[in-house]
Amino acid sequence: MHHLDDQTRTELEAAAFRRLLRHLDDNKDVQNIDLMILADFCRNCLSKWLVSAAEARGTELDYETAREYVYGMPYSEWKAHYQAPASDEQLAALEARQARKAEANGSKENS
């Protein structure tokens, strides 16, 4: 994508991000904990990244507004309708993922 001008690249990235949000919306059965276990990010992370990007540009965007954008509805509503309780297996898998990540970060710091 290096051959693209900045405007075109930004537009393509924005379109891909919007498509990701539609994909997540179409697959509400995919739980945030599953995303965290597999990819180390979730819908809440996307919301935080939007807030961080806004801050970097000197634009104000609060977390709840970003979260409503990512979830397509207020988070409390999404949580009530779509969030299932985490199973013991999911919690164990997330803990193992976080431990591997901490270990890898420790290895990088010691290098």
Side-chain angles (χ1 to χ4, degrees):
M1 292 204 358
H2 297 291
H3 68 286
L4 301 173
D5 62 86
D6 287 344
Q7 180 68 32
T8 300
R9 184 179 42 78
T10 298
E11 290 171 7
L12 292 174
E13 290 167 347
F17 180 74
R18 288 189 297 270
R19 180 63 189 105
L20 172 61
L21 293 181
R22 281 194 311 275
H23 183 76
L24 290 171
D25 191 51
D26 290 345
N27 293 279
K28 290 180 179 78
D29 59 314
V30 176
Q31 297 294 298
N32 281 334
I33 194 166
D34 295 323
L35 290 169
M36 290 297 295
I37 293 165
L38 294 172
D40 200 30
F41 83 98
C42 70
R43 292 167 180 89
N44 290 322
C45 296
L46 293 173
S47 303
K48 291 174 185 175
W49 296 342
L50 280 171
V51 171
S52 178
E55 288 173 356
R57 296 182 58 87
T59 302
E60 205 171 300
L61 176 63
D62 69 89
Y63 179 56
E64 288 307 316
T65 300
R67 207 151 63 158
E68 188 168 331
Y69 176 73
V70 168
Y71 282 91
M73 64 186 70
Y75 176 67
S76 59
E77 185 179 326
W78 191 92
K79 187 175 175 181
H81 292 288
Y82 303 107
Q83 185 169 310
S87 69
D88 290 340
E89 293 82 11
Q90 288 171 313
L91 292 171
L94 180 60
E95 187 176 314
R97 168 97 160 120
Q98 291 172 333
R100 286 190 307 274
K101 184 176 166 183
E103 184 178 302
N105 287 339
S107 296
K108 289 177 187 175
E109 291 174 5
N110 294 329
S111 298

